[in-house]
Amino acid sequence: MARPDWLPTTHVEVGLHVYETTRYATHFYPEQDRATVRIDGKDAHVTVFGHHGDLVRLRDILTDVVTQLEAARSTTSTTAA
């Protein structure tokens, strides 16, 4: 789904480190084909809003990042040995 024209165009960049203590909360809006994922850190939180297709794209990129990280760690471990 494309961004509706009526939404503001303000740009905000947020960084949030993810640790083992990070908490996640989800809320589903099936009638709108969307969901939210709230990522809670110690002093901040970020909520990701997305429709199904956009959340699938996010899932896929995170899967790809994890795969690449595991491959890089494997290469580093082999080289260091």
Side-chain angles (χ1 to χ4, degrees):
M1 175 178 197
R3 183 183 71 77
D5 290 334
W6 53 266
L7 282 176
T9 58
T10 303
H11 175 79
V12 176
E13 186 171 327
V14 176
L16 178 72
H17 288 268
V18 176
Y19 299 104
E20 64 276 354
T21 57
T22 302
R23 295 176 317 276
Y24 303 91
T26 57
H27 193 86
F28 300 96
Y29 304 89
E31 68 284 354
Q32 299 172 15
D33 194 36
R34 70 179 184 92
T36 62
V37 179
R38 180 176 161 134
I39 306 167
D40 283 307
K42 180 179 176 190
D43 297 317
H45 73 269
V46 173
T47 301
V48 177
F49 298 81
H51 286 87
H52 179 268
D54 300 313
L55 293 170
V56 168
R57 288 188 320 120
L58 177 59
R59 178 204 60 201
D60 291 348
I61 191 65
L62 290 173
T63 298
D64 188 45
V65 166
V66 169
T67 300
Q68 290 182 41
L69 182 58
E70 289 170 346
R73 287 173 46 190
S74 175
T75 303
T76 303
S77 298
T78 305
T79 306

